[in-house]
């Protein structure tokens, strides 16, 4: 286990921040209600979740809340019929929300689009009908490779509405990564855009799709292209169709497919400890309950809120808290296409001011990046509409927390530091607005969630000691399996401690029961809040003709939290004339294999890598050497 070194760095933060009395009075969940929820959840957690489920609309109620007879393949709300899109869209059309703004979108050049719930509903219906016309049926997979455009929301909802399964691939992934995901999902349709604006430039996205589809991917018969940017776009005959042409003739009414609670809603690939990404499977019923309840409680959504989560819809945070969550609770969700520093470091604050954003949810890496530019940028804007802030994706260092709290939140807006994962679907450990906060701690598990920190044998560790983060009871929005790989699902999450979900994070609990998440315990890096497996980076390196072997480790970084460093053994006989040139070439090779998300910060050439006797690379040793730390146990080292 590699937890020991990481634990030395655990925070020793002692400051506490109390919410303002007004906030506590007005909160959706006041301290007494919270205490009651905790009591109910600890006495009868199924009852707690059943109550949460009742806040949503179902075509038919469940016969059983949880079926654990085939654990860890848990089933929630068994026998129920529903569709998340009914809750995100259809039901609002019958209420005062009909003419409320569902989505405010801003492009990088400054253009905007606003859609009411009714307008979004009509747009979704037209695309849903078009997909049916193209032959998409219940259960079929549709890959979305799209930038942050209103159509990404429309596409997700349209796919789910007709009972198909969306699989989003973040637009920063390479053609190869896209191809692998399309192939694994056996997608019938790919929805993309011609291009988009990022940092003053136009990114040609369609080109990447063409490259991905150049060989293989036989399952794909149609590529739908949203027109966004003026880029040369080649349309392949009989395969490619412009979004606008496709939906023009379609009717704006479309029935919502009646789904089984356990039917698959989406597939989202996430990095694991092997080179092959895991296809994480979420279903309609449980996911909607977890996301709805968590957003409503943690971000305390009120009818007048304007909610901005800066995540890309291509990640789980975007799925749950840009699209499904905000729409289910009937709030207005905000999306921004471009770079946070474009045209200068106050773009985000400018957006907050102009739309009167009330809740702002972002990532520590972004806060640290903006912090570098000092407080003059937030000061230039009226941020007084903000009432709650949020953080997700990695541990937030107290320095960034306090900067965010003071300069963006006027020392009045509590920060909801939400710990969760692609696998968990929704928040697991998080404060509510009424919670006493300690900067750097995600505070406590939400009602209905039983989290703990255990040692290598699965026994709870005493307060202050580090260990592995586990979840001791199933929860509705949990992943159901790994796509086409139930064995890997069991092995990855449930094998180490039977009956407990292994999160893969190192954490510590303090005397007050507050959780302090330290980072990953496995070979997964967290670069600027994005998960990337060392194995993926290594196999990309090895795919280069110069490289015989590679080992990648994470090293701390001031802005990105962590960056990748690679140790490389070159192929015998490979002539290096210019090492610097080779390093540059290797870096760009990895980028073209995996996409711009996969940045290798530095590369070092080596003659030998430390390995176990069974031949596994001991990255722990490389990391200790790199950081000048104690090397620790070397009994398994080869020689
Ligand atoms: C990390 C993102 C500390 C953690 C929602 C987890 C965090 C991984 C926090 C999941 C937080 C996420 N504090 N660490 N508030 N939130 N993490 O699947 O290591 O992209 O396992 O989901 O991010 O990343 P994923």
């Amino acid at each position: 286990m590699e937890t020991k070194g990481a634990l030395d760095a655990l925070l020793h933060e002692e400051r506490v921040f109390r919410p303002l009395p007004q906030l506590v009075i007005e909160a959706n969940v006041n301290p007494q209600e919270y205490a009651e929820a905790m009591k109910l959840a600890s006495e009868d957690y199924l009852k707690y979740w059943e109550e949460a489920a009742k806040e949503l609309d179902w075509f038919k109620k469940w016969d059983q809340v949880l079926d654990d007879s085939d654990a860890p393949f848990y089933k929630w709300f068994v026998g129920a019929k529903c569709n998340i899109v009914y809750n995100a869209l259809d039901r609002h059309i019958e209420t005062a929300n009909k003419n409320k703004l569902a989505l405010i979108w801003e492009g990088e050049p400054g253009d905007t689009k606003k859609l009411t719930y009714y307008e979004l509903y009509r747009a979704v219906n037209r695309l849903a009908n078009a997909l049916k016309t193209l032959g998409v049926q219940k259960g079929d997979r549709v890959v979305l490779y799209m930038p942050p455009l209103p159509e990404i929301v429309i596409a997700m909802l349209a796919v789910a509405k007709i009972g198909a399964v969306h699989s989003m691939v973040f637009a920063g992934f390479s053609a190869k990564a896209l191809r692998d995901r399309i192939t694994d999902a056996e997608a019938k349709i790919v929805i993309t855009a011609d291009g988009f604006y990022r940092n003053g430039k136009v990114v040609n996205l369609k080109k990447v799709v063409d490259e991905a589809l150049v060989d293989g991917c036989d399952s794909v018969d149609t590529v739908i292209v949203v027109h966004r940017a003026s880029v040369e776009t080649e349309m392949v005959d009989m395969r490619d169709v412009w979004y606008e042409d496709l939906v023009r003739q379609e009717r704006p009414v479309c029935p919502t497919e009646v789904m089984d609670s356990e039917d698959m809603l989406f597939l989202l690939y996430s990095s694991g400890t092997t080179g092959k990404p895991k296809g994480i499977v979420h279903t309609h019923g449980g996911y909607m309950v977890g996301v709805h309840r968590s957003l409503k409680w943690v971000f305390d959504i009120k009818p007048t809120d304007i909610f901005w989560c800066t995540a890309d819809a291509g990640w789980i945070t975007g799925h749950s808290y840009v699209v499904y969550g905000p729409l289910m609770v009937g709030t207005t969700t905000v999306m921004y296409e471009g770079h946070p520093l474009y045209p200068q470091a106050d773009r985000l604050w400018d957006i907050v001011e102009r739309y009167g954003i009330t809740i702002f949810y972002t990532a520590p890496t972004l806060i640290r990046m903006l912090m570098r530019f000092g407080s003059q940028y937030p000061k230039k804007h009226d941020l007084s509409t903000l009432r709650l802030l949020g953080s997700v994706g990695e541990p937030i260092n107290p320095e960034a927390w306090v900067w965010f709290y003071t300069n963006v939140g006027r020392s009045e807006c509590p920060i909801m530091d939400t710990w969760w994962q692609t696998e968990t679907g929704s928040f697991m450990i998080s404060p509510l607005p009424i919670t006493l906060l300690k900067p750097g701690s995600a505070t406590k598990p939400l009602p209905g969630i039983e989290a703990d920190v255990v040692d290598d044998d699965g026994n709870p560790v005493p307060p202050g000691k580090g260990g592995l983060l586990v979840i001791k009871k199933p929860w509705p929005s949990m992943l159901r399996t790994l796509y086409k790989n139930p064995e890997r699902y069991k092995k990855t999450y449930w094998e180490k401690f039977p009956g407990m979900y292994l999160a893969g994070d190192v954490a510590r609990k303090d005397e007050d029961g507050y959780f302090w998440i330290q980072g990953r315990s496995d070979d997964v890096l967290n670069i600027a809040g994005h998960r990337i497996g060392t194995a993926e980076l290594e196999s990309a390196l090895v795919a280069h003709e110069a490289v015989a072997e590679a080992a990648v480790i994470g090293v701390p970084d001031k802005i990105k939290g962590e960056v990748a460093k690679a140790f490389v053994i070159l192929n015998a006989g490979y002539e290096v004339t210019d090492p610097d040139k080779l390093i540059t070439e290797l870096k760009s090779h990895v980028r073209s294999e995996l996409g711009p998300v996969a940045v290798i910060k530095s590369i070092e050439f080596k003659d030998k890598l430390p390995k176990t006797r069974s031949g596994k690379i001991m990255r722990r040793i490389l990391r200790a050497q790199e950081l000048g730390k104690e090397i620790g146990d070397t009994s398994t080292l080869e020689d």
Side-chain angles (χ1 to χ4, degrees), residues 514-533:
Y514 275 48
F515 283 69
W516 299 76
I517 315 291
Q518 174 63 22
R520 301 290 306 184
S521 65
D522 54 13
D523 290 321
V524 176
L525 306 184
N526 189 334
I527 303 174
H530 296 157
R531 264 162 80 169
I532 183 132

Side-chain angles (χ1 to χ4, degrees), residues 317 393-395 417-422 505 517 520 526 531:
T317 309
E394 50 174 321
D417 180 356
T418 58
W419 177 86
W420 59 296
Q421 308 176 294
T422 309
D505 279 353
I517 315 291
R520 301 290 306 184
N526 189 334
R531 264 162 80 169

